[in-house]
Amino acid sequence: MVESRLTGPVRVVGVGLLGTSIALGLRARGVDVILSDASPTNVSIAIDYGAGRRTTDGDEPQLVVVCVPPDVTATVIVRELSAYPRAVVTDVASVKQPILDAVAAAGGDLTRYVGSHPLAGREKGGPMSGRADLFVGRPWVVAGHPAISYQTAAAVDDLILDLGATLVEMTAADHDAGVALVSHVPQVVSSVLAQRLIAAPDSAVNLAGQGLRDVTRIAASDPELWVQILGANAPLVVEQLQLFRDDLDRFIGALADPAAPGARRGIAEGLAAGNAGVARIPGKHGQDKKYASLVVMVDDRPGELARLFAEVGEEGVNLEDLRLEHSPGAQVGLAEISVLPEVLERLTEALAARGWRIAG
C-alpha cells in the first residue's frame, strides 16, 4: 500500500461519482474515510464498494470534501465548517466564485475553506460509477483566496497529490472563466448538435462515424446537474457562446455562397484556425506533442484486441493513444492507434507482416 500524505480521517459529503472516486482513491492509500450523503442507499452502496465507513458521533476529520450539487454546495460547506471546527473544508463543484461569495455571505469561516475542482468525470454518475484512478493525471484546480493560508490549504494539496492529480492554482474568477470555455460551452455545443439527431432518419443516423461520436459523447451527461452548473456560471458561458455564434455566423455566410469572391478563403481560414486551436490542447502527460496514427482492422472476436496490443509491444512501440470504432452490421472494428511519428512506418510494416489489415 502506498503511503498517504493525508493523516485523516477525511469526511466525504456526497457519494456520487466524484465523492465515491475520492473515497476509493484514499482508501487505496489506507486513509480512514467517513461517508455522508442525503441518500442512505448511496452510502450503503459506497460502503459495499469499499469506499469508507458511516459517520459516528466522535468523528474529528482532518479534511471535509463536499461533493454535492452546485445549488446546495455553499449551504453544505457552511454546515460542515460549523460541525467540524478543526477541519479544513473544500468542495469539488465546477464553479468557484459564486460558491466562495455565498459562503462568505453566510458567515462561513473562510480561514478553513478553499474551493477546488477536479477536471475529471464520466458520463455515468452515482456511487457504482466511482473509480479509484479517476483523477490520475488530471488537472485539479485549487482556488485560493486571501483569507486562507498556504499552511491550512496544504491538506487540500495533499488530497490532490494522494489521488494522483495535477495541482493547478488559480483564482476563483480565472477558474470560472476558464471552465466556461473548455468545459461548459463544449457541453452546450455537444447537446445542441445531438438534438439534430432526434428527427433525423435512421438511414442518416446509421452513417454515424467516429467524428459524430466524438463531438456528441458528452451530450449523454446528466441534464439536471448541468442546469445547475450552467446557471451558476451563466454570464461567462453566455459570453463565450456569443463569440462562438459570431464565428459560426461567419462560416455560414461563407458556405451560403461558396462561389462568391473570398468565400472559399473564409472557409479555409476557419478550418485552419480550428487546427491552430486544437494544437494548443495539452496532449499525453501535458505535452503538446503530435502523434501519428494508423488504423488497424480488428476482427470482432474475443482476444483480438489484446493480441494487437501485445504485438505492438513486441515491436518495442509504446501505444500513446487508442480510439475504437465499429461499423453497424460489420464483424470488424477499427482501432486507431497513435504512436510517435518516427516509429509509424516501422510499426505499419511490422503489423502488416504479422497479418494485420491496415486501413488505407
Side-chain angles (χ1 to χ4, degrees):
M1 183 179 295
V2 181
E3 186 177 352
S4 172
R5 294 173 177 82
L6 288 168
T7 57
V10 173
R11 175 174 162 86
V12 175
V13 183
V15 288
L17 169 64
L18 294 183
T20 303
S21 296
I22 289 169
L24 289 170
L26 292 176
R27 289 298 303 136
R29 286 179 170 265
V31 178
D32 179 19
V33 178
I34 306 159
L35 303 177
S36 174
D37 194 281
S39 167
T41 299
N42 280 352
V43 172
S44 296
I45 292 172
I47 290 172
D48 287 346
Y49 274 91
R53 62 174 176 85
R54 299 183 191 278
T55 301
T56 64
D57 291 339
D59 289 333
E60 287 288 346
Q62 171 195 13
L63 175 68
V64 177
V65 187
V66 175
C67 308
V68 299
D71 63 347
V72 295
T73 296
T75 300
V76 175
I77 290 169
V78 173
R79 184 190 72 198
E80 296 295 316
L81 285 167
S82 176
Y84 300 100
R86 297 180 182 177
V88 177
V89 178
T90 189
D91 72 283
V92 296
S94 60
V95 290
K96 299 275 65 100
Q97 190 66 55
I99 291 173
L100 176 61
D101 293 343
V103 172
D109 183 0
L110 295 183
T111 66
R112 294 187 292 113
Y113 165 71
V114 61
S116 70
H117 178 212
L119 281 89
R122 303 175 68 187
E123 290 75 47
K124 298 179 180 180
M128 295 176 64
S129 300
R131 286 175 25 187
D133 62 351
L134 184 67
F135 310 103
V136 173
R138 303 299 302 162
W140 191 320
V141 174
V142 176
H145 54 83
I148 192 165
S149 68
Y150 277 104
Q151 182 177 3
T152 303
V156 180
D157 295 353
D158 288 343
L159 168 73
I160 294 168
L161 296 175
D162 276 349
L163 295 175
T166 301
L167 193 157
V168 179
E169 294 183 356
M170 301 179 74
T171 66
D174 286 345
H175 166 273
D176 290 355
V179 294
L181 174 61
V182 305
S183 176
H184 301 169
V185 166
Q187 178 64 54
V188 175
V189 172
S190 178
S191 296
V192 171
L193 176 59
Q195 289 179 32
R196 306 306 308 155
L197 302 176
I198 296 173
D202 290 344
S203 58
V205 176
N206 288 340
L207 299 176
Q210 195 61 43
L212 181 67
R213 291 184 175 90
D214 285 347
V215 176
T216 60
R217 178 182 60 83
I218 58 175
S221 299
D222 179 13
E224 182 178 352
L225 174 62
W226 273 99
V227 166
Q228 296 183 34
I229 293 172
L230 294 170
N233 208 26
L236 294 170
V237 175
V238 167
E239 179 182 341
Q240 290 297 331
L241 284 173
Q242 289 171 337
L243 294 171
F244 177 76
R245 181 183 61 191
D246 293 343
D247 291 339
L248 191 59
D249 284 343
R250 282 190 289 271
F251 217 102
I252 291 171
L255 277 175
D257 187 4
R264 293 184 184 276
R265 175 179 174 178
I267 296 169
E269 289 178 346
L271 295 171
N275 294 160
V278 79
R280 295 201 61 202
I281 300 174
K284 183 182 178 186
H285 307 314
Q287 300 174 9
D288 293 326
K289 181 176 286 187
K290 297 295 185 182
Y291 299 115
S293 298
L294 70 155
V295 178
V296 183
M297 302 176 70
V298 181
D299 289 335
D300 193 6
R301 60 173 184 259
E304 284 298 280
L305 193 59
R307 181 169 70 89
L308 174 61
F309 291 167
E311 294 186 3
V312 170
E314 289 170 6
E315 295 296 331
V317 174
N318 188 50
L319 195 154
E320 305 292 345
D321 203 354
L322 171 72
R323 186 167 63 176
L324 294 175
E325 180 179 355
H326 276 87
S327 297
Q331 296 301 309
V332 66
L334 301 177
E336 182 179 348
I337 297 174
S338 296
V339 297
L340 294 176
E342 56 265 29
V343 303
L344 177 64
E345 183 176 355
R346 174 169 66 84
L347 180 62
T348 302
E349 293 175 353
L351 291 178
R354 289 173 178 263
W356 292 100
R357 291 170 292 169
I358 310 298

